[in-house]
């Protein structure tokens, strides 16, 4: 019986910590959204995409090369990953964590941002609790490639940029 009480207290504490993190994410999202929008306003037309900036800024890449708009917490998550920081995200289910990892992976591979392999190329290793979760992340990266191709095709109206 005492073990059960301790377990329930720990469970409630974990629940409260997760609830606090979710609420704080919403507060940060609401407060930081205005400055975030100014930074990632999509450029008009394919010729307006700055490839050098896209190679330096994963959020710019997501907005202007994939045509997607991340939430402000996702933008901060991508920025911190790009800076090489260790990131711990305490989030609810289905809020876009896998999207962030897939977008970051695609950005890193596209611009060879983490050339740690002997051949000088970026290799991304997907590690998850189950094989199904790993396959989902790989599938999401493939989906982002298709989305980016379609978006840039529409933006360029089928023309190749020189």
């Amino acid at each position: 019986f005492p073990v059960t009480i301790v377990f329930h207290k720990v469970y409630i504490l974990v629940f409260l910590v997760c609830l606090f993190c979710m609420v704080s994410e919403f507060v940060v999202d609401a407060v930081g959204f205005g400055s975030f929008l100014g930074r990632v306003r999509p450029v008009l037309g394919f010729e307006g995409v700055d490839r050098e900036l896209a190679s330096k800024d994963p959020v710019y890449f997501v907005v202007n090369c994939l045509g997607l708009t991340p939430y402000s917490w996702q933008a901060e998550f991508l920025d911190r990953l790009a800076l090489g920081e260790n990131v711990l995200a305490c989030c609810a289910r289905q809020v876009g964590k896998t999207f962030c990892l897939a977008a970051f992976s695609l950005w890193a591979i596209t611009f060879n941002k983490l050339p740690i392999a002997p051949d000088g190329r970026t290799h991304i290793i997907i590690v998850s609790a189950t094989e199904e979760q790993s396959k989902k992340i790989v599938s999401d990266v493939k989906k982002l490639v298709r989305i980016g191709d379609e978006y840039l095709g529409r933006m360029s109206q089928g023309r190749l940029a020189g």
Side-chain angles (χ1 to χ4, degrees), residues 3-150:
V3 173
T4 306
I5 292 174
V6 170
F7 173 74
H8 287 297
K9 286 180 182 177
V10 170
Y11 182 75
I12 290 170
L13 177 63
V14 169
F15 174 75
L16 290 176
V17 168
C18 289
L19 182 63
F20 172 75
C21 288
M22 287 187 301
V23 169
S24 67
E25 287 293 340
F26 289 122
V27 170
V28 169
D29 206 25
V31 171
F33 196 63
S35 61
F36 167 72
L37 276 180
R39 175 174 153 222
V40 297
R41 192 170 315 279
V43 297
L44 299 175
F46 180 67
E47 291 78 15
V49 175
D50 184 338
R51 291 185 180 122
E52 186 176 336
L53 183 55
S55 74
K56 293 178 182 174
D57 185 352
V59 178
Y60 183 91
F61 171 76
V62 168
V63 172
N64 293 294
C65 296
L66 302 179
L68 303 171
T69 305
Y71 294 111
S72 60
W73 76 266
Q74 290 173 317
E76 184 175 348
F77 188 86
L78 289 168
D79 284 340
R80 290 179 184 264
L81 287 175
L83 293 172
E85 295 180 15
N86 293 327
V87 179
L88 174 64
C90 181
C91 301
R93 295 180 67 239
Q94 302 295 315
V95 295
K97 297 180 296 289
T98 302
F99 164 77
C100 282
L101 294 175
F104 180 79
S105 298
L106 182 58
W107 173 78
I109 291 168
T110 301
F111 296 107
N112 198 30
K113 298 311 276 185
L114 305 168
I116 57 172
D119 61 2
R121 295 184 309 171
T122 296
H123 292 238
I124 302 293
I125 300 170
I126 306 294
V127 179
S128 293
T130 66
E131 184 179 358
E132 297 304 315
Q133 289 172 330
S134 295
K135 286 180 179 178
K136 183 189 180 327
I137 295 171
V138 171
S139 172
D140 286 352
V141 172
K142 290 178 181 178
K143 187 186 311 180
L144 286 178
V145 169
R146 285 191 302 275
I147 288 170
D149 284 347
E150 291 170 7

